[in-house]
């Protein structure tokens, strides 16, 4: 019994195999059938559907869920402190806007770079396995939170009092930026789902020793996956901060970002493109429907759902289709 | 100098209390190789149990502690059979236990908020006497000293159970190798369920003391406690219950020393300590090299 499907070539045909079969390469197909529609829907939706805050939050969680998918679904590391990258990106981008007066694309890039630097600093954690890694990454995120919110750093980060970006706020542009981040994220996921690199990551997840024997550079591959996933969270954090424009350290370092995203991934199905996408849309939709007015009842349902999922459906909803022989990208 | 003596002694008392906070988490991990992320929430339930027993019935917290220990050991059995055997059959129990028990913690927290309301509460501290305790010329609240002594007694009880009883021997056999314990005729599930219950009971006991050590309690306190418990357990060494005492003491002492000398940075202590120890010696300070993790 495995809760995550083994990395068989069948699960992700190599581009070469797809070309031999005569069809378009899988990457192009997924780009046309998943990336384009998703991005188009979020780009057009604000004109039709007035609740822009919901759409924006949904995109944020889509990016975070896919980021966690890269390091948890594909590579097998559970980053409990993933929100640390999000918060770091939020602060770095905001400080670049406020203190350095950078143009917004550069500031967002600064957020991503800061998150990647933090990931680089935390790289030794990848030597840890299982629970140790999960706990260590949680501790790292908490340490980052304590650092940013420290009263001693008020001159730089404004400590616990948060930051206000109202002077540089631009709703439509920051919304568009998040659509861009979402597109980039989906492109990365399509690449992982259809490339040898993605297969290598899944091999590492299933059995690092065998993967190394088969010629996978384990250390380099998982380091790349780690940096990629940090980068995605950093970008999302920067754009999120800019869009909400007033935030506090505990808004952007809130552990529930990590936990929501992990559950969205598990609910849909790890190591797929559609699983986390569907998980986020369904569960965040549920959260929006009942979680905001009566948070404790939502928390209760959510907790029960997690328990039932882990015990009875650890491969996510996608596994229901897979059992019927339907291949899910 | 007096300040140093004060913070060392206070650190010792808090260290014993924190050792108790981490002990249950570590016992459960040691026996079942799963991470009870809801540990802090069981502690919160213990705290509220003592609060209501004191407020409604006037029951002294130490009586509440004894009752709760028995109740939580019993609660451990159904909860174990509901969650753990199925989890252990999955592909990666250690990793999935994180997510599963996070779900459990959410359920407990939600029920607690619905039942108790989302407010902070505290127990009238002089319940342990109004006379401060004086040690080496320093005075401390009596509740601190009582909590430290109770924690020490609970730790000693766990030690006696694990190292001086037949059940304890068998439990330690499961800790070192679950399969071999099974083949040598040990009732693995029954003993694991008992260990699970003891783990919860230790959390509840620490919970009864927590209003006095932490000042106040509220339904959301679980997450912070769980993180602190992790730090303590890992400093000691994951899977070795006695290492937790060392972990608690290191944690308590560094916390009080930081609070005394560098207070604005003291909240970072547990996390930085945890990271450093994980990076330098991932298996914890007391781990033997040959230990299977």
């Amino acid at each position: 019994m495995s809760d995550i499907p083994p990395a068989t070539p069948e699960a992700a045909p190599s581009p070469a195999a797809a070309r031999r079969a005569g069809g378009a390469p899988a990457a192009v197909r997924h780009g046309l059938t998943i990336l384009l529609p998703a991005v188009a829907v979020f780009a057009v939706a604000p004109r039709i559907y007035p609740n822009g805050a919901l759409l924006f939050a949904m995109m944020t969680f889509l990016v975070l869920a896919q980021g966690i998918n890269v390091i948890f679904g594909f590579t097998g590391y559970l980053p409990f402190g993933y929100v640390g990258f999000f918060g770091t990106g939020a602060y770095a981008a905001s400080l670049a806007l406020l203190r350095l007066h950078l143009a917004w694309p550069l500031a967002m890039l600064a957020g991503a770079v800061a998150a990647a630097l933090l990931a680089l600093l935390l790289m030794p954690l990848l030597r840890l396995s299982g629970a140790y890694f999960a706990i260590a990454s949680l501790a790292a995120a908490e340490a980052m939170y304590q650092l940013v919110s420290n009263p001693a750093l008020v001159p730089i980060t404004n400590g616990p009092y948060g930051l206000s970006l109202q002077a540089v706020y631009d709703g439509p542009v920051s919304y568009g930026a998040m659509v861009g981040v979402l597109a980039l994220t989906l492109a990365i996921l399509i690449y992982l789902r259809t490339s040898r690199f993605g297969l290598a990551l899944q091999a590492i997840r299933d059995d690092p020793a065998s993967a190394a024997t088969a010629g996978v550079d384990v250390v380099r591959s998982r380091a790349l996956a780690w940096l990629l996933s940090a980068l995605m969270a950093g970008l999302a954090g920067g754009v999120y901060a800019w869009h909400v424009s007033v935030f506090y350290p505990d808004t952007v370092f809130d552990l529930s970002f990590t936990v929501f995203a992990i559950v969205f991934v598990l609910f849909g199905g790890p190591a797929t493109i559609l699983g986390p996408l569907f998980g986020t849309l369904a569960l965040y939709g549920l959260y929006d429907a009942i979680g905001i007015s009566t948070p404790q009842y939502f928390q209760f349902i959510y907790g029960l759902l997690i328990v039932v999922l882990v015990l009875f459906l650890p491969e996510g909803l996608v596994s229901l289709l897979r059992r019927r022989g339907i291949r899910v990208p | 100098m007096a300040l140093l003596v004060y913070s060392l002694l206070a650190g010792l008392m808090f260290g014993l209390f924190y050792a108790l906070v981490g002990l249950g988490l570590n016992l459960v991990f040691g026996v079942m190789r799963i991470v009870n992320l809801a540990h802090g929430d069981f502690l919160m339930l213990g705290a509220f149990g003592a609060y209501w027993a004191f407020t409604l019935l006037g029951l002294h917290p130490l009586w509440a502690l004894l009752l709760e220990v028995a109740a939580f050991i019993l609660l451990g059995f159904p909860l174990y059979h509901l969650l753990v055997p199925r989890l252990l059959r999955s592909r990666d129990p250690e990793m999935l236990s994180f997510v599963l028990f996070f779900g459990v913690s959410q359920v407990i927290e939600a029920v607690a908020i619905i039942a108790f309301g989302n407010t902070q509460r505290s127990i009238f501290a002089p319940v342990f006497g109004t006379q401060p305790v004086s040690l080496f010329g320093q005075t401390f609240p009596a509740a601190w000293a009582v909590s430290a002594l109770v924690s020490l007694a609970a730790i000693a009880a766990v030690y006696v159970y694990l190292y001086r009883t037949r059940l304890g021997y068998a439990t330690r056999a499961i800790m070192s190798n679950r399969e071999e314990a099974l083949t040598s005729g040990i009732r693995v599930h029954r003993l694991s369920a008992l260990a699970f219950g003891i783990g919860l009971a230790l959390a509840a006991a620490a919970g009864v003391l927590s209003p006095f050590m932490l000042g106040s309690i509220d339904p959301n306190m679980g997450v912070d406690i769980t993180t602190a418990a992790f730090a303590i357990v890992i400093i000691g060494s994951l899977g070795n219950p006695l290492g937790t005492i060392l972990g608690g003491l290191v944690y308590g002492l560094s916390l009080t020393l930081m609070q005394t000398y560098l207070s604005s940075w003291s909240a970072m202590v547990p996390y930085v300590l945890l990271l450093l120890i994980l990076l330098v010696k991932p298996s914890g300070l007391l781990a033997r090299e040959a230990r299977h993790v």
Side-chain angles (χ1 to χ4, degrees):
Chain A
M1 279 304 289
S2 71
D3 55 335
I4 300 175
T8 54
E10 177 273 327
S14 71
R19 270 193 298 277
R20 271 197 306 278
V28 175
R29 228 176 40 237
H30 295 332
L32 291 176
T33 54
I34 301 171
L35 193 152
L36 265 186
V39 169
V41 164
F42 277 105
V44 175
R47 297 176 196 281
I48 306 157
Y49 182 67
N51 192 348
L54 170 67
L55 293 171
F56 187 83
M58 225 165 215
M59 284 196 294
T60 309
F61 275 105
L62 280 175
V63 173
L64 288 179
Q66 295 291 18
I68 282 193
N69 195 15
V70 171
I71 191 70
F72 172 59
F74 280 87
T75 323
Y77 286 90
L78 183 63
F80 234 70
Y82 191 59
V83 69
F85 297 128
F86 184 78
T88 303
Y91 263 90
S94 308
L95 292 177
L97 282 171
L98 283 178
R99 308 259 193 267
L100 305 176
H101 306 289
L102 291 185
W104 71 263
L106 286 177
M108 298 305 124
L109 201 65
V113 169
L117 284 179
L118 179 65
L120 213 56
L121 185 72
L122 295 177
M123 201 77 95
L125 295 185
L126 292 172
R127 285 183 310 179
L128 305 171
S129 65
Y132 289 99
F133 175 81
I135 297 165
S137 78
L138 180 66
E142 281 297 320
M144 211 47 215
Y145 164 69
Q146 297 290 350
L147 180 72
V148 166
S149 67
N150 202 290
L153 288 185
V154 167
I156 304 168
T157 63
N158 207 22
Y161 314 112
L163 289 175
S164 166
L165 298 172
Q166 272 159 329
V168 289
Y169 172 74
D170 188 335
V173 175
S174 54
Y175 184 94
M178 192 58 106
V179 175
V181 176
L182 177 65
L184 179 69
T185 303
L186 288 176
I188 291 175
L189 261 291
I190 290 173
Y191 169 68
L192 287 182
R193 196 75 177 93
T194 53
S195 66
R196 287 177 67 86
F197 178 56
L199 268 184
L201 291 183
Q202 295 177 66
I204 294 173
R205 177 196 69 198
D206 293 335
D207 189 342
S210 312
T213 319
V216 173
D217 187 340
V218 172
V219 175
R220 203 181 61 103
S221 306
R222 67 184 186 197
L224 264 175
W226 178 234
L227 286 179
L228 264 182
S229 99
L231 206 73
M232 288 152 85
L235 271 177
V239 180
Y240 179 86
W242 186 27
H243 191 80
V244 299
S245 73
V246 175
F247 64 92
Y248 301 92
D250 46 1
T251 336
V252 290
F253 283 97
D254 187 351
L255 186 62
S256 38
F257 276 112
T258 306
V259 171
F260 271 43
I262 289 175
V263 176
F264 296 161
V265 173
L266 275 180
F267 183 70
T272 62
I273 310 168
L274 282 182
L277 204 67
F278 176 74
T280 308
L281 295 182
L283 289 186
Y284 196 79
L286 177 73
Y287 171 73
D288 188 67
I290 60 171
I292 292 165
S293 51
T294 51
Q296 62 275 39
Y297 291 95
F298 173 76
Q299 196 181 21
F300 181 76
I301 296 172
Y302 192 69
L304 270 187
L305 185 72
I306 294 172
V307 171
V308 170
L309 264 181
V310 172
L311 289 182
F312 298 98
L313 208 60
E315 282 173 59
L317 289 182
V318 161
S319 64
L320 292 177
L321 292 175
R322 220 182 253 130
R323 270 179 224 162
R324 284 170 183 73
I326 303 169
R327 228 170 58 199
V328 183
Chain B
M1 192 58 211
L3 201 57
L4 181 66
V5 173
Y6 178 84
S7 42
L8 285 179
L9 287 173
L12 201 65
M13 291 183 208
F14 274 86
L16 286 170
F17 166 72
Y18 275 114
L20 182 63
V21 169
L23 190 56
L25 183 70
N26 208 4
L27 184 69
V28 170
F29 183 83
V31 175
M32 277 148 271
R33 299 275 144 194
I34 57 173
V35 179
N36 180 4
L37 209 60
H39 188 74
D41 297 277
F42 286 106
L43 189 146
M44 178 271 293
L45 286 182
F48 270 92
Y51 171 80
W52 290 116
F54 180 75
T55 319
L56 297 179
L57 309 172
L59 195 64
H60 194 276
L62 289 183
W63 285 115
L65 190 143
L66 288 179
L67 288 177
E68 280 188 18
V69 165
F72 276 75
I73 288 179
L74 290 179
L75 176 72
F77 282 86
L79 217 51
Y80 174 88
H81 287 289
L82 203 63
L83 301 174
V84 182
R86 216 185 156 87
L87 178 68
L88 290 182
R89 282 198 300 274
S90 71
R91 198 181 73 132
D92 190 351
E94 194 176 303
M95 200 82 104
L96 283 177
S97 68
F98 253 92
V99 186
L100 174 74
F101 280 97
F102 178 78
V104 174
S105 106
Q106 292 299 293
V107 171
I108 297 176
E109 208 176 297
V111 170
I113 292 176
I114 294 167
F116 309 141
N118 206 349
T119 48
Q120 294 204 332
R121 295 167 198 277
S122 50
I123 298 185
F124 185 51
V127 63
F128 287 130
T130 47
Q131 202 62 29
V133 176
S134 82
L135 270 175
F136 298 100
Q138 306 290 323
T139 50
F140 300 94
W144 289 10
V146 174
S147 298
L149 287 177
V150 171
S151 305
L152 197 60
I155 294 165
V158 172
Y159 177 82
V160 170
Y161 170 71
L162 283 179
Y163 291 86
R164 292 283 178 272
T165 67
R166 280 191 68 83
L167 287 181
Y169 282 127
T171 308
R172 284 191 297 134
I174 302 174
M175 283 172 154
S176 57
N177 193 320
R178 201 174 174 89
E179 274 75 39
E180 279 177 26
L182 196 63
T183 47
S184 55
I186 293 172
R187 291 165 178 267
V188 169
H189 275 305
R190 186 173 294 185
L191 280 178
S192 298
L194 181 60
F196 191 70
I198 293 174
L200 301 188
L202 289 169
V208 173
L209 303 175
S210 65
F212 308 105
M213 300 305 272
L214 306 176
S216 67
I217 57 173
D218 65 78
N220 304 309
M221 68 194 281
V223 182
D224 287 342
I225 301 273
T226 308
T227 332
F230 271 140
I232 293 155
V233 162
I234 291 200
I235 294 166
S237 80
L238 204 52
N240 174 359
L242 288 182
T244 311
I245 301 169
L246 179 70
L249 290 177
V250 170
Y251 183 86
L253 282 171
S254 30
L255 205 63
T256 49
L257 286 174
M258 279 299 266
Q259 266 164 359
T260 313
Y261 294 104
L262 260 177
S263 66
S264 76
W265 297 98
S266 66
M268 261 179 103
V269 169
Y271 309 110
V272 173
L273 210 57
L274 180 58
L275 276 178
L276 287 180
I277 287 183
L278 274 174
L279 288 177
V280 177
K281 203 163 182 302
S283 42
L285 291 180
L286 273 192
R288 278 162 291 170
E289 285 309 318
R291 193 168 191 89
H292 166 81
V293 249

